[in-house]
Amino acid sequence: DAGITQSPRHKVTETGTPVTLRCHQTENHRYMYWYRQDPGHGLRLIHYSYGVKDTDKGEVSDGYSVSRSKTEDFLLTLESATSSQTSVYFCAISDGRDNQPQHFGDGTRLSIL
Amino acid sequence: QKEVEQNSGPLSVPEGAIASLNCTYSDRGSQSFFWYRQYSGKSPELIMFIYSNGDKEDGRFTAQLNKASQYVSLLIRDSQPSDSATYLCAVNDAGNNRKLIWGLGTSLAVNP
């Protein structure tokens, strides 16, 4: 299995609080991705990174920010959580070569009350 | 809008039968095609990828690609109850091939 660790695995928090999710990889892969998965919407890309300090937006980036200060770590921050951000969040990695697949972490189940 | 379409199912097959899962995509420039399996409450797991027209076999799984028809399928032979899961089809975004376009998945139930 790809060495991807997401933390925390579960979190319950209140509307308006900041939340940071962490993705840690041991594969030295260049590309890292944050997705959310919701019933009826499937996997939707939030942000991705193509190197240290290099990030770009996905299709549902509003309300989220990311940072990548080291190759192995990619952080997703909800500055002021809203109930619409209740979801399952997955981190994925890819080595960045053409046409290579993405491999997923175990996910974080986030509930915002 | 680039899209990947899958029949949501559920697709129900008896144990030992062949399960056939289908996927169509809109981005004619897509070059790489992936099938992921996702058990309930778990993360997506890569099971097959295919880049060239034709068939690719790996154990009980066969991926089939027809770029002219923009169609990719996954066949599961000798289906087992442990194959019961949601199967996600993903294709690369031709405009940025480090990004994938995802289908919503097909739910498969294999009945003993």
Side-chain angles (χ1 to χ4, degrees), chain B residues 35-49:
Chain B
W35 284 100
Y36 288 78
R37 178 177 62 201
Q38 186 173 26
Y39 292 115
S40 180
K42 301 296 185 182
S43 61
E45 172 193 11
L46 179 72
I47 53 171
M48 288 286 291
F49 59 88

Side-chain angles (χ1 to χ4, degrees), chain A residues 31 33 35 37 40-43 45 48 57 90 96-106 109, chain B residues 1 31-32 34 36 38 41-46 49 51 88 92 96-100 102-104:
Chain A
Y31 277 72
Y33 307 81
Y35 290 92
Q37 188 175 39
H41 292 280
L43 282 165
L45 182 66
Y48 68 101
K57 295 179 179 180
F90 289 107
R97 290 178 295 160
D98 282 352
N99 302 320
Q100 292 303 300
Q102 297 175 14
H103 298 280
F104 285 79
D106 290 337
R109 188 171 296 274
Chain B
Q1 181 77 2
Q31 296 294 320
S32 52
F34 306 95
Y36 288 78
Q38 186 173 26
K42 301 296 185 182
S43 61
E45 172 193 11
L46 179 72
F49 59 88
Y51 304 141
L88 304 175
N92 78 288
N96 179 344
N97 66 9
R98 274 66 171 185
K99 293 169 64 176
L100 297 178
W102 294 86
L104 296 183

